[in-house]
Amino acid sequence: MFELRTLMLLIPALPLLSAIVIGLLGSNVLRSKSHYVTVLALLGSFACSLAVAAAVAERSQEAAAAGIVGFEHIESLWTWVNVPDAYTLPGRDVTVPFRVDVTLRVDGLTAMMLPMVTFIATLVALYGSGYMHGDRGYWRFFAYVSLFVFSMTMLVMVSNFLLLFVFWEAVGVCSYLLIGFWYEKPEAAAAGKKAFLVNRVGDFGFALALFLIWTTYGSLNFHDTNEVIGVFGQQRLLAQDYVGGGVATAICVLLLLGACGKSAQFPLHVWLPDAMEGPTPVSALIHAATMVTAGVYMVARCTPLFHASPDAQMVVAAVGGFTALLAGLIAVTQFDLKRVLAYSTISQLGYMFLALGTGTVAGITAAMFHLFTHAFFKALLFLGAGSVMHSMGHVIDMRRFSGLRHLMPWTHRTFLVGCLALAGVFPFAGFWSKDQIVAAVHTEAHGGQVHAEHGDGGDEHASVMSATATRSVSTAAAVVSGADENAKRQKLFCWLYWSSLFTAGLTAFYTFRAYFKTFFGKEVIPEEAGHHAHESPPIMWGPLAILAVFAFLVGFVSEVGHRFAKFLVTAPSLAYIVPGGEFHGGEFHMNIAVISSIVALVGIALAAFFYLGHQSEVEMLARWLKPLRQLSYGKFYFDEIYDWLIVRPLRLLGDASYLADKYVVDGVVNLGGQLPVWAGNVIRRMQTGLLPFYGLMMAIGMIAILGLGGLWWFGG
């Protein structure tokens, strides 16, 4: 019905229009009906996203038949900046313009993100209409949500690094507004500022990476133009014209720093748990569909740049694997239900970065597949936690309530589905995507080779993985030089493989620890809930039921025929690394599936053993492992370490600057202003009104002048 261009424009335009309308009319006209505008806008955006995904699937097949590297559709709206002959590329004697076009693009990667973002956002808005009912900032909440979705859709649709950075910052601003939504609470205001400032550290690295990309490639566009070859354009991909060495590593590490800020990876992970001070629908939106997924998306989009630096790939994998383990260890001792889920998000994002760090088609598609499935079950879990919080009088400490499964049957059932998906239990969504990540890491740990037990297609799959793992963008950077480098890479991924399995067990344990403590045991209701504790209204548990269905089915449905991976690799940034231009998909890794399933079941069994019953074993274990437990409960004291190493020195510097400004700078300025006053006071005292005194002063002055003149005459 609509052209592709129109659909592409409507996807971000509808949420933006919603934000503008609510911003203008919400406080006086719409008020408690503000959610209608947001829900309708997001629903329309979701419908357009589905149509765009269908168009991309159809046209990508035509592009493959024509021999084009992947499929992309570009719509240039207008030229924002155009500086002719702005820069001469070093060593190439080519002068290029600095041109920034406001351009939208859709490809397999974009078309995967858009329906997921808009669908989750629509359900969150519906849920929020019940959760935020009666809040005095009701209209403001939905204006912020609409603006958030607009920023995120633009972030994944733009075809330029500079515009990516603009909407990267817009997403950060929206998260600041939503995390600190209840700004009257000091904790919420502090959490919003913390999220904003920590992200500025990562964004500084991102900005430096953009400068390096511009000076290295002479363009910030993803696509080719008539004047300049794009960073991920067809010409550069076909020629594999990417710079390697230290420059490539610097670009990628700086990009990773930006991604660590947005996606809360070590060492910039400390803001995300505190972001729980915002309304729970905001937590679901941030953790499932918008802000934290931006970093993973950006690294996947920049796959050609990361392929130019195998060292940077290993850094990505190491950061992801370490973050996944660290966050899992912290989550096992937390009592705030939303914070447990927050550390779970950090851990699962670590899995995604671990998979991206493999650099293989299997790893990259597994990372994005996990991002896709994670959106559904993590949104489900956060909204379920919000349902509990809503019923318990906004109490979220699991030590203060229990046994809610009969009181809140819908919340209990849907929360269980989310827990099974997060733990990776067959056949729930997390099982399919998490196992693909573990399998990709296992493959890299064995030098890109797959064991024979993977089936008859194992040899073909092994050749694909091996070629993909080593194929890069230039001959100099393509092959990891020397057997020592290969051995180092395999050793790293071997450690990461075992770490990923251990983290999977931790995930199952802390997830079901939260489930058992919340829904089992003696029914305990906090006094804040009074006598009004009950199941949430249908407007809240309805979205939970929808998300539960997706958390159960979406993994299996997407994996049948490897349709998710095949669709994803039609994006040019990924298609060029597929040997022969066509991805056939890997075989099912039965051994990995069995091992990870056993690990998940052991984690669930341990949680049941410790937290069903009197929990005397937990108390005994806590005494035995008191130092480790305290370390985990204290979140490994990263906040305290940063406070002493960064916050306090900066505060002292600020205090010293304030004192210097007040007493030195202001003192000098004020002195300059006081000198004429003092001189005037002296002269004013000389005005006595007596003529003899004035005559005496004139005589003394004349004598002084004559004396000085005589000295000058005789001295000359």
Side-chain angles (χ1 to χ4, degrees):
M1 180 168 30
F2 293 108
E3 294 182 354
L4 187 55
R5 173 187 172 89
T6 304
L7 294 171
M8 292 170 63
L9 291 173
L10 284 174
I11 291 171
L14 289 173
L16 177 61
L17 181 62
S18 169
I20 294 172
V21 170
I22 297 174
L24 294 175
L25 305 177
S27 60
N28 296 319
V29 179
L30 294 172
R31 295 181 181 176
S32 62
K33 295 180 174 58
S34 297
H35 65 278
Y36 286 113
V37 179
T38 297
V39 171
L40 289 174
L42 297 183
L43 195 59
S45 187
F46 170 61
C48 293
S49 299
L50 287 179
V52 165
V56 170
E58 180 181 352
R59 298 191 185 186
S60 60
Q61 296 177 358
E62 299 173 1
I68 300 174
V69 181
F71 168 77
E72 59 184 354
H73 182 80
I74 308 296
E75 287 290 346
S76 294
L77 305 181
W78 68 85
T79 300
W80 182 18
V81 180
N82 188 15
V83 181
D85 301 329
Y87 182 66
T88 301
L89 293 175
R92 301 192 184 189
D93 197 25
V94 176
T95 302
V96 295
F98 180 70
R99 176 167 178 157
V100 179
D101 295 319
V102 178
T103 303
L104 301 181
R105 75 179 282 132
V106 289
D107 56 17
L109 191 54
T110 303
M112 181 278 293
M113 292 289 294
L114 288 174
M116 181 268 290
V117 170
T118 52
F119 179 72
I120 297 295
T122 302
L123 293 179
V124 167
L126 275 172
Y127 178 96
S129 65
Y131 188 89
M132 300 297 293
H133 180 72
D135 193 283
R136 68 175 185 172
Y138 190 82
W139 67 271
R140 185 164 51 92
F141 173 82
F142 286 99
Y144 290 166
V145 168
S146 299
L147 190 62
F148 205 176
V149 178
F150 160 73
S151 301
M152 187 65 191
T153 54
M154 285 298 293
L155 186 150
V156 300
M157 288 183 72
V158 294
S159 188
N160 181 283
F161 271 110
L162 185 58
L163 289 174
L164 175 64
F165 186 76
V166 168
F167 290 103
W168 187 272
E169 294 300 309
V171 167
V173 170
C174 292
S175 69
Y176 165 75
L177 294 173
L178 285 166
I179 292 169
F181 181 80
W182 288 317
Y183 54 85
E184 303 92 342
K185 292 173 54 181
E187 298 85 359
K193 288 188 290 185
K194 184 176 183 180
F196 189 80
L197 293 174
V198 171
N199 271 275
R200 297 294 72 73
V201 177
D203 294 350
F204 178 70
F206 194 5
L208 292 180
L210 299 194
F211 285 115
L212 270 178
I213 291 171
W214 160 247
T215 56
T216 303
Y217 297 105
S219 176
L220 291 175
N221 288 327
F222 297 164
H223 60 282
D224 294 332
T225 65
N226 294 331
E227 300 170 307
V228 181
I229 299 175
V231 180
F232 308 133
Q234 292 286 326
Q235 296 183 54
R236 194 179 302 279
L237 292 176
L238 288 170
Q240 300 185 5
D241 182 21
Y242 288 90
V243 175
V247 173
T249 301
I251 290 173
C252 294
V253 170
L254 289 170
L255 288 174
L256 174 63
L257 181 60
C260 285
K262 275 289 180 287
S263 295
Q265 296 295 284
F266 173 84
L268 302 179
H269 64 285
V270 292
W271 69 269
L272 191 57
D274 289 352
M276 298 305 96
E277 294 295 338
T280 301
V282 173
S283 302
L285 195 58
I286 290 175
H287 286 251
T290 52
M291 185 160 173
V292 298
T293 63
V296 179
Y297 162 80
M298 185 264 283
V299 174
R301 173 68 72 193
C302 296
T303 292
L305 297 177
F306 281 88
H307 265 243
S309 176
D311 289 339
Q313 288 180 348
M314 289 193 289
V315 172
V316 173
V319 168
F322 178 76
T323 304
L325 178 59
L326 175 70
L329 290 171
I330 295 174
V332 298
T333 58
Q334 302 304 305
F335 291 102
D336 185 308
L337 179 57
K338 287 175 65 177
R339 285 182 184 269
V340 172
L341 298 178
Y343 279 108
S344 169
T345 298
I346 297 172
S347 183
Q348 297 305 302
L349 289 166
Y351 265 114
M352 298 172 205
F353 279 95
L354 171 58
L356 290 172
T358 64
T360 63
V361 179
I364 296 167
T365 55
M368 298 309 295
F369 188 25
H370 198 52
L371 182 149
F372 181 73
T373 61
H374 176 264
F376 296 98
F377 59 75
K378 187 52 61 71
L380 169 60
L381 288 170
F382 265 107
L383 296 184
S387 180
V388 171
M389 191 175 179
H390 182 267
S391 179
M392 296 296 105
H394 294 280
V395 173
I396 199 64
D397 190 332
M398 293 185 289
R399 291 170 293 190
R400 300 191 57 199
F401 54 75
S402 61
L404 304 182
R405 66 185 185 278
H406 299 303
L407 180 68
M408 308 181 69
W410 279 105
T411 301
H412 164 242
R413 294 166 191 150
T414 54
F415 198 89
L416 175 59
V417 173
C419 290
L420 291 168
L422 176 57
V425 175
F426 177 85
F428 294 85
F431 166 82
W432 304 96
S433 54
K434 183 202 68 179
D435 279 15
Q436 285 193 11
I437 292 175
V438 176
V441 175
H442 178 268
T443 300
E444 288 305 292
H446 292 81
Q449 300 300 319
V450 183
H451 296 303
E453 65 264 28
H454 294 169
D456 296 336
D459 294 337
E460 177 187 356
H461 182 56
S463 64
V464 171
M465 292 297 99
S466 179
T468 306
T470 57
R471 182 177 177 181
S472 185
V473 189
S474 66
T475 304
V479 181
V480 180
S481 58
D484 291 341
E485 291 296 325
N486 282 322
K488 181 173 68 174
R489 179 183 176 89
Q490 290 182 37
K491 185 176 181 180
L492 170 66
F493 278 98
C494 185
W495 279 103
L496 292 174
Y497 167 69
W498 290 110
S499 173
S500 66
L501 286 178
F502 181 68
T503 304
L506 283 177
T507 302
F509 178 80
Y510 67 67
T511 301
F512 276 85
R513 168 182 176 267
Y515 169 72
F516 291 137
K517 287 182 70 66
T518 301
F519 294 103
F520 281 79
K522 180 182 177 182
E523 185 175 291
V524 176
I525 308 296
E527 61 183 17
E528 288 84 348
H531 301 289
H532 306 291
H534 60 279
E535 178 62 276
S536 297
I539 195 64
M540 292 176 64
W541 64 253
L544 295 180
I546 296 171
L547 287 168
V549 173
F550 277 85
F552 178 69
L553 292 176
V554 75
F556 172 74
V557 172
S558 300
E559 180 58 15
V560 171
H562 310 293
R563 61 182 65 174
F564 181 91
K566 289 180 178 179
F567 179 74
L568 193 66
V569 298
T570 59
S573 297
L574 303 179
Y576 91 107
I577 61 174
V578 180
E582 184 178 356
F583 180 63
H584 299 283
E587 297 298 319
F588 180 71
H589 297 261
M590 180 59 72
N591 57 335
I592 300 297
V594 170
I595 293 172
S596 63
S597 295
I598 292 173
V599 168
L601 292 175
V602 168
I604 296 172
L606 285 174
F609 174 75
F610 285 118
Y611 294 100
L612 289 181
H614 298 290
Q615 301 185 22
S616 57
E617 295 85 359
V618 175
E619 297 172 0
M620 180 179 63
L621 194 62
R623 288 195 298 269
W624 287 353
L625 303 176
K626 185 176 180 179
L628 294 178
R629 179 185 179 278
Q630 191 60 37
L631 198 60
S632 171
Y633 184 71
K635 297 166 285 188
F636 288 87
Y637 301 104
F638 278 103
D639 285 310
E640 289 79 4
I641 292 171
Y642 289 165
D643 184 57
W644 280 99
L645 293 182
I646 300 173
V647 177
R648 290 175 185 266
L650 287 177
R651 188 175 293 155
L652 288 174
L653 179 61
D655 292 340
S657 299
Y658 168 75
L659 294 174
D661 180 67
K662 182 176 181 179
Y663 294 107
V664 178
V665 178
D666 286 354
V668 171
V669 173
N670 293 336
L671 178 63
Q674 289 296 325
L675 285 176
V677 177
W678 294 338
N681 288 334
V682 172
I683 296 173
R684 186 171 63 248
R685 291 193 181 99
M686 297 173 65
Q687 309 304 312
T688 63
L690 298 174
L691 289 176
F693 179 76
Y694 294 155
L696 177 62
M697 290 297 102
M698 290 173 64
I700 292 173
M702 183 62 69
I703 292 170
I705 291 172
L706 291 174
L708 291 173
L711 290 174
W712 180 78
W713 174 265
F714 289 110

